[in-house]
Amino acid sequence: MGPIVPPDHPGDAAAAAMGWSMRVMVLGAGGFIGRQIVAELVSGGHRVVGVARSTGGLAEAMPGAAFLALDLASALDPAGWRGRLAGIDVVVNAAGLLRGRQMEAVHVAMPRALAAAAAEAGVRRIVLISAISARPDVDTDYAATKLAGERVLASSAVGWTILRPSLVYGDGSYGGTSLMRGLAGLPMFVPLPGEGDFAFSPIHVRDLARTVRHVCEDDGFAGRTLEPVGPHTLSLKDLLARYRAWLGFGQARFVPVPMTVMRWMGRLGDLAGDGPVSTNALVQMVAGNGGDGAAFARAVGFEPRRLDEALRDRPAEVQDRWHARLYFLAPALKAVLVMMWLVSAWLGLAHGAALTAELVESLGLPAGLADPLRIGSSLLDVAVAAVLVLNRSAARVAVLQAVVVVGYTLVLGFGLPRLLVDPLGPLLKNLPVLLAIAVLGVIGARR
């Protein structure tokens, strides 16, 4: 099959008539990059099967594709892949984790099982989205597992192409670009990690998706590793200044933050599980993410857009400013709610005996239930705080918190109605608490 790189995107019928309609499976189809790859392939006339851990709403959002719900961290048996790969021409693996215990499974073990099954099923090629910082000299488990995944694929019996993009940006954002928008959106001053001289060659997510389509359509890319990068290499300081100007927040006034402080922030983010900064993100950032834009443009036959042009052509909207300003407020709100539940638990254990006894008496319950009720409610508060810290589903945790708060309010309001008119508003304050819980349930979602 020779190079097929059409200048424009025809419809399904035209694509089929020209002989380059394929059936493509996209892993990580619900992610920032995966969604764009699905859209690009569908608009190019290909039949797409998107794979994501949760497919709720994806079929409605992208009606041109079919979707399969699958936890890739558990898809480690080649036998489980064989039936799913029947009739698939190309697999695009855009799945990845920046941190977490499942990184080895998603980056190495799952691709090994996938490659073995793909070779048996007659899949023509697997296209892997790796990272430009997946190098032996970058000391993170992310880089190590990404590199190991590349080696697994390259040594397999199936055809392969590896793409190592630099920083990927777009109309939306995720990961590093979300962090940059958040830093650029802080009031008054923009924190600048170190000297801010870390290099990036940012590529627009739609140009990366276009690259994936070209690579899928052209078997001449088989057995090759490419670095999708934009035409300009910029420092982190340059990127932050451009994003702040684009957001409409004026000229950036930078405040250098020593890398020692940034590393401590990264460790705190690691402990939180989903903090805005992590150790891996910091190490990947300083590792160097610059590339040769001219060489990449020659390889794929088109030049990706420049960041300045992309920002100029898509002015920031109010939603972009909301996101930038809320980026650090979301983890701050989460921390405050965790603290509220823990303090509530401590207050119940240390100072709640009298109020609990009064409540039990007013409800006509046996006096012996007072201590179990007080201790049990405090343990429930601790459990809610733990779920809030550990659970990654902001919406589900918001429902849990709301149910507990409403339950407490109803029981206390019925048993001790005087609290409803207390001047200090111990129950009335639950209204803004519920609102804060609802807000975090919305803005706490990363996808």
Side-chain angles (χ1 to χ4, degrees):
M1 181 178 179
I4 304 175
V5 185
D8 297 305
H9 298 252
D12 289 359
M18 295 177 69
W20 37 271
S21 177
M22 299 177 295
R23 193 158 185 253
V24 184
M25 176 178 282
V26 179
L27 309 187
F32 171 60
I33 294 174
R35 286 173 182 257
Q36 296 292 334
I37 292 173
V38 169
E40 176 74 18
L41 290 169
V42 169
S43 68
H46 301 296
R47 294 163 294 161
V48 178
V49 178
V51 177
R53 175 180 293 183
S54 174
T55 57
L58 286 178
E60 292 78 11
M62 291 180 280
F67 289 92
L68 169 67
L70 181 64
D71 181 3
L72 294 176
S74 302
L76 310 182
D77 184 358
W81 280 104
R82 291 187 190 112
R84 299 182 177 110
L85 293 173
I88 296 295
D89 297 302
V90 178
V91 176
V92 178
N93 184 0
L97 299 172
L98 187 58
R99 51 187 164 182
R101 292 175 296 177
Q102 296 180 326
M103 198 180 301
E104 176 80 19
V106 173
H107 293 172
V108 186
M110 181 276 292
R112 181 180 292 114
L114 171 67
E120 294 180 14
V123 173
R124 197 171 75 241
R125 195 146 37 97
I126 295 176
V127 178
L128 173 64
I129 309 298
S130 186
I132 199 170
S133 55
R135 306 191 307 267
D137 61 296
V138 180
D139 186 20
T140 67
D141 50 359
Y142 174 80
T145 55
K146 274 291 189 182
L147 191 57
E150 290 183 13
R151 290 168 177 164
V152 163
L153 179 59
S155 63
S156 70
V158 71
W160 57 270
T161 303
I162 295 170
L163 301 179
R164 292 175 156 187
S166 181
L167 178 74
V168 181
Y169 70 98
D171 294 345
S173 66
Y174 184 73
T177 49
S178 288
L179 174 59
M180 288 182 186
R181 289 191 186 195
L183 289 170
L186 288 171
M188 298 179 65
F189 300 101
V190 177
L192 185 65
E195 298 296 323
D197 54 355
F198 316 116
F200 298 87
S201 299
I203 182 169
H204 197 284
V205 67
R206 289 202 293 273
D207 289 325
L208 176 58
R210 183 182 177 188
T211 299
V212 170
R213 178 173 64 85
H214 287 0
V215 165
C216 290
E217 293 168 350
D218 184 354
D219 279 353
F221 287 105
R224 297 178 62 183
T225 297
L226 302 177
E227 292 186 351
V229 295
H232 274 174
T233 297
L234 303 168
S235 69
L236 175 63
K237 185 175 182 179
D238 293 333
L239 287 168
L240 291 175
R242 282 165 166 77
Y243 269 118
R244 187 171 181 86
W246 175 72
L247 289 165
F249 294 145
Q251 186 175 0
R253 295 187 293 274
F254 292 104
V255 175
V257 179
M259 289 306 297
T260 301
V261 175
M262 294 300 302
R263 283 190 284 271
W264 276 107
M265 292 177 63
R267 293 191 184 101
L268 289 175
D270 295 340
L271 292 174
D274 61 349
V277 181
S278 69
T279 298
N280 274 359
L282 286 174
V283 176
Q284 299 295 140
M285 178 181 71
V286 305
N289 294 271
D292 189 338
F296 173 68
R298 288 193 300 271
V300 295
F302 74 92
E303 183 176 282
R305 70 204 75 187
R306 300 168 186 264
L307 175 68
D308 289 337
E309 295 170 351
L311 297 181
R312 178 202 66 197
D313 295 342
R314 216 286 278 174
E317 305 287 351
V318 64
Q319 292 85 357
D320 298 302
R321 288 185 280 275
W322 283 354
H323 175 260
R325 288 282 165 89
L326 288 170
Y327 184 75
F328 288 104
L329 287 179
L333 181 56
K334 178 177 177 177
V336 167
L337 288 173
V338 169
M339 182 178 67
M340 179 197 75
W341 288 109
L342 292 177
V343 171
S344 175
W346 175 75
L347 289 174
L349 289 173
H351 304 286
L355 185 64
T356 308
E358 183 184 357
L359 175 64
V360 167
E361 181 182 359
S362 68
L363 293 175
L365 300 175
L369 289 178
D371 281 345
L373 181 63
R374 177 171 57 87
I375 295 171
S377 62
S378 293
L379 291 177
L380 176 60
D381 291 347
V382 172
V384 172
V387 171
L388 182 55
V389 170
L390 299 175
N391 198 292
R392 298 293 178 264
S393 173
R396 285 199 293 267
V397 177
V399 171
L400 171 65
Q401 292 181 90
V403 167
V404 174
V405 171
V406 170
Y408 282 165
T409 304
L410 291 176
V411 171
L412 288 169
F414 178 76
L416 301 174
R418 65 176 177 79
L419 296 178
L420 295 170
V421 293
D422 189 300
L424 296 179
L427 294 186
L428 185 62
K429 291 174 183 176
N430 284 346
L431 292 177
V433 168
L434 286 170
L435 182 60
I437 289 170
V439 169
L440 183 61
V442 174
I443 68 174
R446 292 302 181 96
R447 295 184 185 273

